[in-house]
Amino acid sequence: MSISKAASGNVFAQSTIEKRLQIEHLLSPDALSSNQLSDDGSDVIKGLTQTPKSLPARYFYDDRGSELFEQICELPEYYLTRTETAILQGCAREIARITGPCELIELGSGSSTKTRVLLDAYNQLGYPLHYLPIDVSAGILESSARQLLADYPSLQVHALVGTYELALEQLIPTALPSRMICFIGSTLGNLTPQECDQFLSQITAALHRGEYFLLGIDLQKPKHLLEAAYNDSQGVTAAFNLNILEHLNKRFEGNFDTQLFEHWAFYNETEHQIEMHLRRRDSGQIIPETVHLRNLDLKVEFEPGETILTEISRKFDLNTIQQKLQAQGLIPLQVWTDPKQWFGLLLCQVQTSASIIGTD
Ligand code: AVJ
């Protein structure tokens, strides 16, 4: 008989939470010697001094941004999260059976809601639960880890605060027979094709032969459905987009006036990507607005109507992405989708010598 889930507030679970939780703040190897965070804002300087201007999408996710993102996931127009969760609910047990006991490594774990579906499946098969969430937002990482530990009395959490790149370079061996890196939520879509190739090769390098990679991606679909998902009627996506400026203000002592900017998102059908921008409002002014980011010693001018590209969100084709994964040594074992084919979930395995012989 198996008990799938203990109630929150379980006394035993509560008392052992501290023992089962480890939180590590990652620093880059250079930062360790110079005693500085690698997060020095050089990527912000680069983006804001380019034409057209851009910002790295990861600056969305301060604690406030992560909260707003959670709200986006609940929006009626934002089909992504709910579709992916439904797919996972249908295939989690099959995934657990294929991989056997393994450590779950999650990139960009956020609130870990979808992760519960996987944990339940491994738990029901009686497998040990080892979870290694990685996120840049320390607040969300810790609170969701504590919540999970309270709900799963046998769970061990080793949380890493930092960027994916840093975490992938510093993964330590697990006590379990295998590992699975989970990159769900279509975050892969936020990378340019070039960054995507580089990222996938980092995944292959971080894993051993025979280990697993679970990827969730948003698929190509009619423009009106996509544009609605990124221009919701309640303005949550707009607030999420504008929050990146508030985050920069706090982090780098900046003076962006968010009132001067507006949210602008559209689907680029040629590139198959949503492009999200912040546009300086054009309210009859002709003088450039100067923004100062003191900690970066940076002054940037914005012309009326000028834009900052804050995010691309690429929409994939299942055949093309499978070829790309295969080319990187990540062999697709199974692909799941929803009845409307709006979202895709792919389980891949790092090429083993058997799979090299087996492919021709
Ligand atoms: C983080 C990749 C899921 O591209 O859909 C949501 C973030 N941006 N609304 C996406 C996002 C605007 C998002 N993902």
Side-chain angles (χ1 to χ4, degrees):
M1 205 181 77
S2 71
I3 298 159
S4 62
K5 196 171 159 188
S8 275
N10 174 310
V11 178
F12 172 74
Q14 289 294 352
S15 68
T16 66
I17 283 177
E18 302 308 323
K19 286 185 208 138
R20 294 180 290 124
L21 174 63
Q22 198 183 335
I23 301 178
E24 205 178 318
H25 290 255
L26 295 179
L27 297 170
S28 74
D30 322 336
L32 287 173
S33 50
S34 67
N35 202 20
Q36 241 187 0
L37 275 166
S38 74
D39 256 348
D40 59 0
S42 51
D43 51 356
V44 172
I45 299 177
K46 190 165 162 237
L48 291 181
T49 52
Q50 273 169 354
T51 321
K53 294 182 171 70
S54 64
L55 281 171
R58 69 185 174 86
Y59 285 95
F60 283 127
Y61 302 96
D62 61 348
D63 291 343
R64 173 74 183 137
S66 297
E67 254 170 49
L68 286 166
F69 180 66
E70 292 302 314
Q71 289 178 34
I72 289 177
C73 295
E74 309 270 307
L75 294 169
E77 298 96 332
Y78 198 77
Y79 59 85
L80 287 83
T81 315
R82 126 171 30 91
T83 310
E84 187 177 40
T85 307
I87 299 171
L88 257 180
Q89 278 161 346
C91 68
R93 197 174 252 270
E94 203 176 340
I95 293 173
R97 281 217 195 87
I98 295 172
T99 68
C102 71
E103 177 178 67
L104 301 180
I105 301 169
E106 187 172 16
L107 300 175
S109 52
S111 70
S112 303
T113 315
K114 283 169 288 189
T115 318
R116 287 171 180 265
V117 181
L118 284 170
L119 290 174
D120 287 338
Y122 284 86
N123 202 20
Q124 276 161 23
L125 291 175
Y127 296 162
L129 302 180
H130 286 203
Y131 180 47
L132 198 138
I134 298 157
D135 206 287
V136 285
S137 174
I140 287 241
L141 196 56
E142 175 159 0
S143 62
S144 55
R146 288 184 178 281
Q147 196 53 57
L148 286 173
L149 288 163
D151 293 342
Y152 298 84
S154 68
L155 178 68
Q156 308 253 10
V157 177
H158 183 167
L160 304 180
V161 183
T163 62
Y164 307 153
E165 295 75 28
L166 282 180
L168 289 175
E169 279 167 18
Q170 298 175 33
L171 286 185
I172 40 152
T174 164
L176 299 185
S178 191
R179 297 178 300 177
M180 175 164 74
I181 295 182
C182 306
F183 196 45
I184 54 181
S186 199
T187 311
L188 188 72
N190 296 148
L191 306 183
T192 64
Q194 199 195 345
E195 290 166 341
C196 176
D197 287 348
Q198 211 183 333
F199 171 82
L200 292 178
S201 73
Q202 287 170 332
I203 294 287
T204 312
L207 292 173
H208 301 130
R209 285 170 180 271
E211 290 187 323
Y212 300 92
F213 178 51
L214 183 68
L215 177 65
I217 45 168
D218 197 16
L219 303 177
Q220 292 165 11
K221 61 181 65 60
K223 190 180 168 87
H224 71 276
L225 295 167
L226 287 165
E227 291 192 338
Y230 293 84
N231 289 286
D232 67 276
S233 60
Q234 295 167 54
V236 183
T237 310
F240 172 75
N241 196 5
L242 285 160
N243 177 66
I244 202 171
L245 301 181
E246 305 273 14
H247 184 197
L248 295 184
N249 282 348
K250 279 181 214 142
R251 182 91 154 244
F252 303 113
E253 253 190 88
N255 65 348
F256 273 105
D257 178 354
T258 55
Q259 308 268 13
L260 295 180
F261 291 86
E262 64 191 346
H263 168 72
W264 180 43
F266 61 89
Y267 187 53
N268 177 333
E269 284 178 291
T270 319
E271 301 293 332
H272 303 288
Q273 63 191 21
I274 287 281
E275 293 181 12
M276 205 159 86
H277 300 259
L278 286 167
R279 182 167 51 197
R280 184 184 159 195
R281 289 178 196 276
D282 189 352
S283 38
Q285 271 119 330
I286 40 163
I287 23 164
E289 162 83 10
T290 306
V291 173
H292 191 184
L293 293 163
R294 281 169 180 279
N295 285 354
L296 297 178
D297 204 11
L298 177 70
K299 281 191 176 138
V300 200
E301 295 203 331
F302 290 90
E303 302 293 337
E306 191 174 352
T307 60
I308 314 171
L309 176 67
T310 50
E311 182 177 68
I312 58 165
S313 188
R314 294 167 63 216
K315 306 304 164 186
F316 296 90
D317 166 76
L318 277 177
N319 288 321
T320 317
I321 190 71
Q322 286 187 78
Q323 283 163 18
K324 194 164 264 315
L325 288 160
Q326 178 107 23
Q328 295 277 3
L330 296 163
I331 314 300
L333 300 179
Q334 285 279 2
V335 180
W336 296 273
T337 181
D338 53 290
K340 291 185 195 141
Q341 307 232 31
W342 278 5
F343 203 94
L345 196 67
L346 298 91
L347 178 64
C348 306
Q349 185 174 33
V350 180
Q351 196 159 52
T352 60
S353 28
S355 57
I356 297 169
I357 297 161
T359 29
D360 54 358

